[in-house]
Amino acid sequence: QVQLVQSGAEVKKPGASVKFSCKASGYTFTSYYIHWVRQAPGQGLEWMGIINPLSGTTDLAQNFQGRVTMTRDTSTSTVYMELSSLRFEDTAVYYCATDPSNYYMLAWGKGTTVTVSS
Amino acid sequence: QSALTQPASVSGSPGQSITISCTGTSTDIGTYNFVSWYQHHPGKAPQLMIYDVSNRPSGVSNRFSGSKSGNTASLTISGLQAEDEADYYCCSYTSAEKRVFGTGTKVTVL
C-alpha cells in the first residue's frame, strides 16, 4: 500500500532554515507527483507546491516562491522540501501527499511539526 | 489566489444528510472538474474522500458524494454517523496551474 514516512519534529529560530523529508513506498516513486501542504495552529490547509519525482520539476504557490526548494532522490524514493528565512508564522504541521494524476492528493504522510521560536 | 469559501460549521443528527458547499471562481471550480474533498480528524493525516468532483476512492463509503454547479462544488454526507465528525476541506486546480484549498468546515454530529 502507498505509504509516506515523514521526518521528525523540529524547533527552529527565526531566520533559520528547515529541511523536511518524505520517504515513499508501496508504488513506483516516479509515477506519482508529491504535494506539500501545511496547517498552522487553528488554521486551514494551505497548499505549498508540487514536485514531479520523474523530472524533478516543481511548481510553488506564490506565497512560497523564493523561500521553498523542493528536491528528490530517486535512489531512496525520498522527496525533500527546504523552507528558509523562517518566521514565527511558519509554525505549523507540514504534510506531504502523493498524487497519481496531478489533480488530487491520494495518500498523506502523518506530518512534521515545526515550531519557530526564539 | 484566495482560499475557496466554505461554511465554518455544519451540523446534523445521526442518520441525517448534510451538504457542505465550496465556492470558488471562474478561474478554478468554474472551469475545471478537478475538485477534491478531504476529511481531517485533528492530529491525523487528512484523507481523500472525493476526487474529480464526484469520484470516490476505493474504500470510501458511498455515503459520501460530490457534485458541482457553476463556481460551487458540494460534498454531501448521507446517513450521518458519529465517525463523520471532522473537518472537511475542498481543493481545486486553478488556471495558474496551482491548487487552492477551501477555508474548511467543521462537521458536528449532534
Side-chain angles (χ1 to χ4, degrees), chain B residues 14-109:
Chain B
Q16 286 187 329
S17 292
I18 61 170
T19 297
I20 303 168
S21 62
C22 170
T23 301
T25 69
S26 59
T27 62
D28 39 66
I29 294 176
T31 296
Y32 302 100
N33 289 324
F34 298 130
V35 178
S36 50
W37 289 89
Y38 303 88
Q39 178 190 68
H40 192 200
H41 289 104
K44 295 194 172 184
Q47 179 185 354
L48 176 68
M49 307 304 285
I50 295 287
Y51 67 96
D52 295 351
V53 174
S54 59
N55 294 308
R56 262 188 322 275
S58 173
V60 171
S61 171
N62 59 10
R63 298 185 298 105
F64 292 84
S65 62
S67 62
K68 188 188 90 166
S69 177
N71 294 339
T72 299
S74 299
L75 174 72
T76 298
I77 309 175
S78 59
L80 199 62
Q81 299 180 0
E83 68 208 46
D84 300 332
E85 188 161 292
D87 297 322
Y88 290 82
Y89 294 89
C90 58
C91 183
S92 177
Y93 182 79
T94 79
S95 60
E97 299 183 343
K98 312 294 184 185
R99 318 294 182 275
V100 60
F101 279 99
T103 49
T105 299
K106 181 176 180 60
V107 168
T108 301
V109 181

Side-chain angles (χ1 to χ4, degrees), chain A residues 2-4 6 35-40 43-47 93-98 104-112, chain B residues 36-50 57 60 85-91 101-102 104:
Chain A
V2 174
Q3 188 173 11
L4 298 174
Q6 297 189 235
H35 298 266
W36 289 91
V37 175
R38 76 177 184 181
Q39 184 176 38
Q43 304 298 309
L45 300 177
E46 182 180 19
W47 184 76
V93 179
Y94 290 77
Y95 296 98
C96 60
T98 59
Y104 60 89
M105 296 145 208
L106 176 63
W108 296 63
K110 293 186 177 181
T112 297
Chain B
S36 50
W37 289 89
Y38 303 88
Q39 178 190 68
H40 192 200
H41 289 104
K44 295 194 172 184
Q47 179 185 354
L48 176 68
M49 307 304 285
I50 295 287
V60 171
E85 188 161 292
D87 297 322
Y88 290 82
Y89 294 89
C90 58
C91 183
F101 279 99

Side-chain angles (χ1 to χ4, degrees), chain A residues 5-13 17-21 36-42 48 81 83 86-96 109-117, chain B residues 40 42-45:
Chain A
V5 177
Q6 297 189 235
S7 46
E10 304 256 18
V11 179
K12 295 291 185 179
K13 293 191 182 301
S17 296
V18 62
K19 190 170 186 177
F20 306 86
S21 67
W36 289 91
V37 175
R38 76 177 184 181
Q39 184 176 38
M48 300 181 69
M81 180 180 70
L83 178 62
L86 287 169
R87 311 159 184 163
F88 294 117
E89 53 266 36
D90 291 320
T91 294
V93 179
Y94 290 77
Y95 296 98
C96 60
K110 293 186 177 181
T112 297
T113 299
V114 169
T115 302
V116 182
S117 173
Chain B
H40 192 200
K44 295 194 172 184

